[in-house]
Amino acid sequence: MTIVRLEEGLLTKITTMQLKCLLDFYGADESSRTEALNMWSEVREQTKAAKLQGNSKGFWQPYTDQLRANFPHYLRLEATADHITTHQLVMVHGLLQTADYRRAIAKLDAPHLSIVNTERRIELMERRQTRLDDPNFSMEVLLSEAVLRHRPASSDVMAGQMRWLAEMSERDNLSIRVVPFDVGPHRGLAIQSFTLLEFTRLEGHLAEPPVVYLEGAIGALYHEQADVIERYREAIIAVRTVALSEDDTRSMVLRVAKEYAA
């Protein structure tokens, strides 16, 4: 049963003794055996570190009744990625949302959501955002000017969200750049919103492949194929060429904040 679950990519508990038995069963040579056990040791160390940080079972578990069925998998990836690049055309990415902005989105998503469950969604968002405090994590955010102009919330809330974006853009591990309306046609208009998650390569060269996450109104897609990942990397390069600098972006965001506050 353990082998079946492993082959199907299901979450499986396995011990060092079981791994050694599998290596014996498949007749692994000494070099392959040593490499496999070294990688296994690295995985165990990562698991221990996750337990110490309280992430071993996923901080999102108490909130799963407030999540779409596909989203816990994304949160698991987000919690372990060391670099995220996101391209957004409509709304601010969840890692950069203010509580009031998130409340407004929750109301749009579920008009009859109770106050208690609304606040639970805010708690989940705030726990996600602790990822930004990890010195080994970095994030590049490419925003359409439309993200600044769409109004899922009141003017006061939008002003606060804009000021928060400007403040967050001062962080060393964050790069926030806006693609203004007046740049004309560019590839970002065709590629739509997406998030590319990348992961640390361990000493034994074990690494989770990059993943592109596409969120839809009902479901989501996760792409890992090398050729697909490369297409999105090319799109990122193309969007960068038309995006404002970080300083000019900050100036624009603060200008829009003043417009909302007027």
Side-chain angles (χ1 to χ4, degrees):
M1 181 59 70
T2 297
I3 294 176
V4 171
R5 290 181 63 84
L6 286 171
E7 289 178 343
E8 292 184 354
L10 300 175
L11 188 63
T12 309
K13 289 185 177 180
I14 186 170
T15 66
T16 302
M17 183 60 69
Q18 286 175 315
L19 178 59
K20 289 180 177 179
C21 288
L22 286 172
L23 291 169
D24 290 339
F25 178 79
Y26 289 112
D29 58 39
E30 192 60 32
S31 176
S32 298
R33 184 184 182 88
T34 299
E35 182 178 4
L37 291 173
N38 285 341
M39 288 191 292
W40 175 241
S41 178
E42 292 178 6
V43 169
R44 292 185 64 193
E45 288 302 315
Q46 279 199 328
T47 302
K48 288 180 182 178
K51 287 181 178 179
L52 290 174
Q53 295 170 4
N55 292 333
S56 58
K57 293 184 178 181
F59 62 82
W60 54 88
Q61 291 300 327
Y63 307 95
T64 51
D65 62 313
Q66 296 302 310
L67 300 172
R68 291 187 175 91
N70 63 279
F71 204 56
H73 180 53
Y74 172 79
L75 292 177
R76 189 176 297 110
L77 295 173
E78 185 180 87
T80 55
D82 66 341
H83 183 75
I84 289 177
T85 304
T86 188
H87 174 243
Q88 297 295 321
L89 296 178
V90 179
M91 291 186 180
V92 176
H93 190 278
L95 287 178
L96 296 173
Q97 293 174 1
T98 65
D100 286 338
Y101 185 91
R102 183 60 190 166
R103 283 190 188 93
I105 293 175
K107 186 174 293 186
L108 290 175
D109 185 49
H112 304 296
L113 190 67
S114 69
I115 294 176
V116 170
N117 282 332
T118 298
E119 293 309 304
R120 290 177 66 216
R121 294 190 183 193
I122 304 305
E123 289 174 4
L124 173 60
M125 181 198 73
E126 291 174 343
R127 295 194 68 176
R128 282 177 66 189
Q129 291 176 347
T130 61
R131 194 75 186 94
L132 298 172
D133 297 325
D134 185 343
N136 297 315
F137 174 79
S138 60
M139 185 175 185
E140 179 181 7
V141 182
L142 299 165
L143 299 174
S144 166
E145 184 178 343
V147 175
L148 312 184
R149 302 294 181 182
H150 283 307
R151 296 193 180 197
S154 68
S155 294
D156 286 346
V157 170
M158 292 303 298
Q161 177 66 70
M162 296 303 105
R163 289 191 292 266
W164 180 244
L165 279 178
E167 181 178 339
M168 295 298 285
S169 71
E170 300 278 3
R171 289 193 175 206
D172 292 337
N173 65 337
L174 274 179
S175 171
I176 302 177
R177 298 174 62 193
V178 167
V179 179
F181 288 144
D182 60 10
V183 297
H186 61 88
R187 192 171 181 183
L189 296 175
I191 203 78
Q192 300 297 312
S193 298
F194 67 90
T195 298
L196 170 64
L197 304 104
E198 300 176 87
F199 307 89
T200 301
R201 183 171 293 277
L202 303 177
E203 293 180 4
H205 306 295
L206 180 69
E208 189 164 359
V211 177
V212 166
Y213 170 71
L214 304 174
E215 184 175 11
I218 299 176
L221 293 175
Y222 295 88
H223 293 299
E224 297 182 6
Q225 304 95 316
D227 60 329
V228 176
I229 298 296
E230 184 58 29
R231 286 179 59 192
Y232 279 95
R233 290 193 191 281
E234 291 172 358
I236 289 168
I237 292 171
V239 174
R240 284 175 184 154
T241 63
V242 295
L244 298 175
S245 68
E246 293 178 11
D247 288 341
D248 288 344
T249 290
R250 193 174 301 113
S251 296
M252 171 181 270
V253 170
L254 289 173
R255 185 169 65 251
V256 173
K258 290 180 181 178
E259 293 173 10
Y260 280 123

